[in-house]
């Protein structure tokens, strides 16, 4: 089975939106599942797959964290992480009642 999904590229109302086909091969039971979910949400198969793919892509990219710092800042960061936690807030947290303890 082949599915064709149409994606939108570009931003804003003033820009021309281009559509490109995405060819996917899926097992029959996966297509049936997708169709059922799309129907439950009142969407077409293509719209459902585009929305689900976009959310998955955004989640994957948002899960990537890259922080660039100079060597001295990195060294300071590691030193702070290596220090044991202290302070009034930490003491209060450690002395708070634990819900799993009677």
């Amino acid at each position: 089975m082949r599915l064709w999904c149409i994606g939108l590229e570009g931003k804003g109302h003033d820009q021309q939106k281009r559509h490109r086909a995405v060819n996917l091969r899926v097992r029959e039971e996966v297509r049936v599942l997708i169709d059922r979910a799309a129907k439950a949400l009142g969407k077409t198969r293509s719209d459902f797959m585009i929305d689900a793919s976009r959310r998955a892509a955004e989640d994957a990219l948002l899960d990537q964290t890259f922080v660039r710092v100079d060597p001295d800042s990195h060294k300071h960061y590691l030193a702070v992480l290596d220090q044991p936690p202290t302070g009034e807030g930490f003491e209060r947290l450690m002395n708070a009642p634990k819900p799993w303890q009677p």
Side-chain angles (χ1 to χ4, degrees), residues 85-101:
T86 60
E88 181 184 327
F90 178 73
E91 294 298 324
R92 190 172 53 249
L93 176 65
M94 292 295 101
N95 292 323
K98 316 297 189 276
W100 58 86
Q101 293 177 340

Side-chain angles (χ1 to χ4, degrees), residues 11-40:
K11 296 180 183 175
H13 299 289
D14 298 339
Q15 294 181 350
Q16 177 80 17
K17 293 184 177 173
R18 299 181 308 171
H19 298 256
R20 292 210 167 149
V22 176
N23 185 3
L24 302 171
R25 294 181 186 264
V26 297
R27 295 184 318 271
E28 180 68 16
E29 64 269 16
V30 173
R31 185 197 55 81
V32 169
L33 178 65
I34 290 168
D35 287 349
R36 285 181 59 203
K39 184 177 180 181

